[in-house]
Every structure is written in C-alpha cells, then in structure tokens.
Amino acid sequence: MAINYVVTKKVDTTKGETNVRYYATTRALQKKPVDSAEIARQLAEKSSLQDGDVMSVLVQLSGVIAEHLHQGRTVSIDGLGNFFPTITSKGVEKPEECTADKVWVARIGFKSAPAFLKKIRMKTKFLSIQLREQKKANTQKKNTPGNI
C-alpha cells in the first residue's frame, strides 16, 4: 500500500519577490481510517491478550491521556511519542488583560518518537493521484474507437 498525494502550488512572497514552489500534500482520497476494533485485533494477535481485553484498554486510553493533558502535562508513550496540549487565547492590548477566561486548548499536539518515525519512513511508499489519473485518462484515450 502507498500514501496517496497530490502536488499543490504554493506562492512565497517573502523577501519582496514572488517564488512559486510545488509540494506534495495528502489532501486527496485518503484511505478509510483504521478503527479501534482492527487495532485491538492486531494487538491481540501479537500478545497474550484477547481482543476484548485490548479493546477495553484502548477505550480507557483516551480518558487517561485526557486526565493528564487537562492538567497541562505531556503524555509520553514509549515507542510512540508525546501528546501535549497547545493553547491559544483571544488577542488583547495589554498583557494583564490576557486572563484565564480568554485561554483555551486549541488542539492536542503529537510529536512522534524518533524510532517510530524511522519505522514509518523506512516502509512508506507514495503514489501520485494526479499521475495515476493521467495514466488512466491516457489509457482510455488510446482504447477509444478511432484511436486504435
């Protein structure tokens, strides 16, 4: 399996000049997410636990992590990485106006463990959606009556 990607144009106007660059992005046609039941089944196969035992742990995991995150703590899971809260607030004119009632958790960040990232990088393949569609269109064009 491969990660689908498209090429996206980005315009950089910093330093007073326009600079056009193209980057791979994952905004198109991603595969169906893997659900907890599939993760539980796979973990059960690799351990002495039953599917239901693993599922119970997975269900409880988000609550336990949330308990620590709402206290402002980073949660580190060996071999996986760190989860941490990122905060923001409403913009104010004076520092003393930035009170707790104007602050909220914007999202939960995740920084992968270096070994985890390395595992993913080593085995990942990529497939351009645009090139696949272009090849498909060219094949159909060749096979239409009048082009054979």
Side-chain angles (χ1 to χ4, degrees):
M1 286 282 182
I3 294 176
N4 296 325
Y5 72 93
V6 296
V7 178
T8 304
K9 177 181 175 179
K10 293 184 182 178
V11 180
D12 179 10
T13 56
T14 58
K15 300 180 185 173
E17 60 184 62
T18 300
N19 206 354
V20 177
R21 293 284 185 256
Y22 296 88
Y23 299 89
T25 58
T26 57
R27 287 191 287 162
L29 300 174
Q30 292 307 307
K31 298 168 183 80
K32 178 183 171 192
V34 177
D35 63 14
S36 296
E38 176 66 13
I39 297 291
R41 185 190 61 73
Q42 288 179 307
L43 288 172
E45 285 177 3
K46 296 174 186 257
S47 71
S48 61
L49 300 173
Q50 298 296 314
D51 291 14
D53 298 326
V54 177
M55 184 59 109
S56 177
V57 170
L58 289 176
V59 167
Q60 298 302 319
L61 182 62
S62 67
V64 171
I65 290 173
E67 286 177 33
H68 295 289
L69 293 176
H70 82 74
Q71 295 172 12
R73 299 182 70 191
T74 294
V75 176
S76 180
I77 299 178
D78 292 343
L80 188 62
N82 297 326
F83 294 89
F84 52 92
T86 63
I87 64 169
T88 193
S89 67
K90 294 180 180 179
V92 293
E93 292 182 18
K94 299 176 187 171
E96 59 271 13
E97 294 175 349
C98 190
T99 56
D101 62 324
K102 295 182 178 93
V103 179
W104 65 89
V105 174
R107 68 184 98 140
I108 302 303
F110 173 74
K111 184 171 187 328
S112 67
F116 181 64
L117 181 57
K118 185 177 179 181
K119 280 182 197 176
I120 295 168
R121 285 181 172 160
M122 287 176 30
K123 296 181 181 182
T124 303
K125 294 181 180 4
F126 301 93
L127 179 62
S128 168
I129 297 290
Q130 291 145 319
L131 292 178
R132 184 172 63 191
E133 293 300 319
Q134 188 176 19
K135 286 178 185 176
K136 186 176 174 182
N138 288 343
T139 302
Q140 289 173 346
K141 196 182 286 185
K142 288 179 186 176
N143 294 333
T144 57
N147 288 335
I148 299 177

